[in-house]
């Protein structure tokens, strides 16, 4: 079946409620664990169906944001989200009170009940209206940023359209493109401040209504983190400051040499004088190259990628009306993932074919997991699959970058490493924000600057006012829309680097560890998955230090003048 043939319909709250009444009666009246398991398996089938329709509705809208019919389907599913949560919350409560919990754990492992326990801690019918408000505010942020019209050199661009100019080889051009970008943020500063202020206060109110001191604990629960908390994360951030920041500073010295500049400003984000490496070939050629690559990589990936191609489960090339960005989604009822992206001729096109395909490969590999809640892991684990696949495909990068392959690899490693301090900065900032819900927009900007001086001490915005006054984070979607979703990338990167190191030493073993990890899906929490994959836990003292040392040695071994 091709994507376009997947059945889709609108499910109503009433129909789901009716099903739930029946399940609840049967579940609560069950005489044996088997009877409860039968009910939960029916619920699981229904959840797969619901989740698939939500994904289809959202994806179709992303594929064409001007399609009114697609928009109304997405709006429909957005609007019933909290009601459906309320319906399923009743079952979660019944499961939590079951006298057969030990048998349920034996059947599905401890993660099943743990997830339900956490779910219960994040919801109460009392907060439904606030949840609806939160969705509206999130959508307002999307609308504000997606609607940007920025005049630059006589033409009008949106934020994504302006993006490629920020890495233009002409320095003055780069700077002016950033100035135009931040001018737009400056003009909308009140709206950005106001929106975030409302979100922070609303989330604080949701948290206190549920009985929490502030939003931090609830934020962790929403991210499904059952096995670590703010203390472990704070310790990890400290390791980034101690071990990564100095190396990034050293790398920037290397970059000055590559670019032939005395001083680096924020807008000098390019890697090479002539600009960044570009993939060689048309989108069709790149996909054909990826198909060959995945066949050579392993039988599993070959089979997977054939399905992606044959069943039309990818929409890769940029076109008018498509939502910007790239992501992977899935339709659990049909056992299939989907990759969405906007190819625009940059090296990022290849990263989509490796990063998003890593997510999709994991989702495909875990399709035999017995529960829909086990298909995807929590985010810090999910990003291990994607970021590691970027490294596992290194031997084939020659196919895409030809004579620019070494440049691509250098950029890939240097970029991955310098991302860590930024990721930690975003995370630290969010902890402070939710611990201080009464802070003013001005306080937040000052705090950001203070944190920047710790994590990104080399940043110099020159005379560009908006970022200089501490507002740059307002362009980071996660901060508005997915609180606390960010440290995930840095934890996953630390694991992906381990796979990279391992695959250089013993590729076969590294690959089999990776496949095992993918198949496990979300059946274990982060720490359990890391152990299953034979990796060191990023929180452990010494882990990051030893990983970074190897990455740094590799960077030192590169003869940058030959790139
Ligand atoms: Zn990802």
């Amino acid at each position: 079946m091709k994507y376009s043939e997947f059945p889709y319909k609108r499910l109503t709250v009433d129909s789901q409620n009716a099903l739930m009444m029946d399940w609840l009666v049967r579940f609560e009246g069950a005489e044996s664990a088997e009877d409860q398991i039968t009910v939960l398996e029916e619920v699981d089938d229904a959840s797969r169906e619901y989740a698939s329709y939500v994904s289809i509705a959202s994806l179709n809208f992303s594929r064409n944001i001007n399609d009114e019919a697609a928009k109304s389907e997405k709006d429909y599913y957005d609007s019933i989200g909290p009601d459906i949560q309320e319906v399923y919350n009743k079952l979660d409560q019944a499961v939590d009170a079951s006298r057969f919990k030990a048998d349920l754990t034996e059947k599905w492992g401890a993660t099943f009940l743990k997830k339900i326990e956490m779910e219960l801690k994040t919801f109460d019918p009392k907060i439904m209206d606030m949840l609806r408000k939160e969705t509206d505010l999130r959508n307002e942020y999307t609308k504000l940023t997606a609607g940007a019209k920025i005049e630059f050199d006589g033409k009008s661009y949106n934020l994504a359209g302006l993006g490629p100019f920020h890495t233009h080889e002409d320095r003055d051009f780069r700077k002016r493109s950033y100035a135009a970008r931040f001018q737009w943020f400056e003009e909308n500063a009140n709206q950005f401040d106001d929106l975030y202020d409302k979100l922070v206060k609303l989330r604080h109110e949701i948290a206190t209504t549920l009985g929490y001191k502030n939003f931090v604990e609830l934020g962790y629960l929403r991210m499904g983190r059952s096995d670590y908390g703010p203390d472990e994360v704070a310790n990890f951030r400290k390791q980034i400051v101690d071990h990564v920041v100095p190396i990034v500073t050293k790398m920037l010295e290397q970059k000055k040499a590559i670019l032939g500049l005395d001083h680096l400003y924020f807008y000098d984000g390019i890697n090479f004088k002539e600009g960044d490496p570009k993939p060689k070939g048309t989108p069709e050629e790149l996909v054909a190259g990826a198909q060959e690559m995945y066949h050579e990589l392993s039988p599993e990936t070959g089979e997977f990628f054939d399905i992606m191609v044959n069943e039309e489960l990818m929409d890769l090339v940029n076109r008018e009306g498509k939502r910007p960005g790239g992501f992977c989604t899935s339709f659990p009822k049909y056992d299939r993932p989907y990759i969405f992206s906007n190819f625009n001729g940059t090296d990022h096109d290849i990263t989509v074919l490796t990063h998003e395909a890593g997510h999709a490969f994991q989702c495909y590999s875990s399709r035999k997991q017995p529960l829909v809640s086990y298909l995807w892991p929590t985010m810090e684990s999910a990003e291990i699959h994607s970021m590691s696949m970027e490294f596992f495909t290194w031997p084939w990068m020659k196919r895409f970058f030809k004579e620019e392959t070494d440049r691509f690899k250098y950029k890939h490693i240097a970029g991955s490493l310098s991302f860590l301090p930024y990721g930690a900065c975003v995370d630290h900032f969010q902890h402070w924000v939710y611990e201080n819900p009464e802070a003013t927009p001005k306080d937040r900007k000052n705090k950001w600057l203070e944190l920047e001086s710790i994590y990104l001490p080399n940043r110099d915005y020159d005379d560009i006012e908006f970022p200089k006054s501490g507002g740059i984070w307002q362009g980071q979607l996660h901060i508005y829309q997915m609180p606390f979703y960010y440290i995930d990338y840095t934890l996953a990167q630390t694991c992906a680097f381990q796979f990279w190191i391992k695959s250089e030493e013993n590729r076969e073993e590294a690959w089999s560890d990776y496949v095992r990890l993918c198949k496990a899906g979300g059946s274990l929490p982060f720490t359990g998955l890391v152990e299953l994959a034979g990796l060191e836990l990023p929180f452990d003292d010494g882990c990051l230090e030893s990983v970074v040392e190897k990455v740094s040695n590799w960077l030192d071994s590169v003869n940058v003048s030959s790139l």
Side-chain angles (χ1 to χ4, degrees), residues 44 76-78 84 94 101 113 142 172 210 227 250 286 301 328 334 337 350 364 383 439 442 474 495 511 534 549 562:
D44 198 70
Y76 172 75
Y77 273 109
D78 267 1
I84 296 292
K101 272 165 113 172
L113 287 175
T142 307
D172 179 59
L210 289 172
D227 48 348
K250 197 174 83 180
L286 299 183
T301 46
C328 171
Y334 310 117
I350 301 305
Y364 177 74
E383 297 300 340
K442 181 83 188 131
Q474 299 192 324
C495 294
W511 179 254
E549 193 194 320
S562 74

Side-chain angles (χ1 to χ4, degrees), residues 355-356 359 383 386 489:
H355 182 102
E356 299 305 339
H359 284 307
E383 297 300 340
S386 52
Y489 295 109

Side-chain angles (χ1 to χ4, degrees), residues 357-374:
H359 284 307
F361 176 67
Q362 175 266 305
C363 182
Y364 177 74
S365 303
S366 64
R367 70 193 180 285
K368 296 284 176 252
Q369 285 290 338
L371 297 167
V372 68
S373 63
Y374 283 9

Side-chain angles (χ1 to χ4, degrees), residues 387-398:
M387 290 172 161
S388 304
M389 185 65 100
E390 294 176 27
F391 290 128
F392 276 117
T393 51
W394 258 30
W396 289 269
M397 287 302 110
K398 254 197 146 46

Side-chain angles (χ1 to χ4, degrees), residues 438-500:
E438 293 309 319
T440 64
K442 181 83 188 131
D443 296 336
R444 290 185 192 119
K445 287 180 175 165
N446 287 338
K447 186 67 190 180
W448 174 265
L449 289 177
E450 181 195 322
L451 293 172
E452 240 185 25
S453 70
I454 299 169
Y455 291 96
L456 307 157
N458 304 290
R459 271 203 180 176
D460 184 342
Y461 293 112
D462 200 354
D463 55 0
I464 307 180
E465 224 16 77
F466 186 76
K468 250 180 122 159
S469 58
I472 198 166
W473 54 271
Q474 299 192 324
Q476 186 67 57
L477 160 146
H478 299 67
I479 294 179
Y480 283 76
Q481 300 197 327
M482 291 162 276
F484 291 111
Y485 178 9
Y486 221 69
I487 200 70
D488 307 72
Y489 295 109
T490 65
L491 293 169
Q493 189 66 66
T494 308
C495 294
F497 274 139
Q498 293 182 59
F499 266 126
W500 174 66

